[in-house]
Amino acid sequence: MHGGGWRFGNRKLGPDFTRYFASKGYAMVSIDYRLSDEDTFPAQIHDVKTAVRWVKSIAGEYGLNGNKIGLWGSSAGGHLAALASTTEPNQFIGENPLYSDMTSEVQAVAIGYGPMDFLQIDEQRELDGISEEDPESVQIPKDKKTSDPDSFESLFLGAPILTCPDRVKEANPLTYVKAGLPPFLIMHGLSDVAVPAHQSQLLYQALAAKGNEVSLYLINGLGHGFLNRSNLDEGGPRIATFFTSKNGGGEIIEEKNLLIFDKIEEFFRVQLSK
């Protein structure tokens, strides 16, 4: 699922999926979903779940394994991936859902720099005090706030976020986190000035607290939008702080050097081969 603040972008926004994934045997399905100028939440999550059910419905026709599906989303798409996988399959499906004989359950989830709790973004953006900025990062104006009536989050919900706390909670994937969710891989750049890395830490902590399998990479020197770059790993491995928790066990924290697309491919290879 592509990014763009639920307002912009389409299924062509992303890296070269052929080069990094299709060539290694993955069927990659990049989807469109209704943007917020067409319809507001929860239309977008309805579309994501419909897409998963559709893939399962055509799996036999195209030689796909409908029982081995991973979600991958960045920015707004990361939020939708988290929401689609933390909620129950019968939540956020709308009236008269298509392919209703299928379920939207998936077996793995990869998320890049997704906003989670909209009400914490402004405060954390100020607290982070990021000084090292990725020059290619998606930027937002210095005076722009998530609480503004015309912010991406407010437009997504159809009202200023401070006026609709119940709706903010309903759109927050953390609201639905429970035990027994699929494994998660989360990545966030420490120089992200659009969505603070704290948002990914919140998701990691919520998943780990419920005993789910989850890994988080906080990557030095990367800002917002890095997963759209096909040349991302051409400069060599990047330094990241790695957090992981599995089945309620003790947390592991260490420094890692990683090639980002290789790590995502490895995650899907391991999880979808179980």
Side-chain angles (χ1 to χ4, degrees), residues 176-197:
Y176 309 97
V177 169
K178 55 190 173 295
L181 294 176
F184 276 69
L185 170 66
I186 309 169
M187 292 183 169
H188 211 122
L190 287 172
S191 293
D192 194 331
V193 296
V195 177

Side-chain angles (χ1 to χ4, degrees), residues 108-123:
V109 188
I111 293 174
Y113 41 88
M116 299 294 152
D117 186 342
F118 301 164
L119 294 177
Q120 294 196 44
I121 293 177
D122 284 340
E123 178 185 10

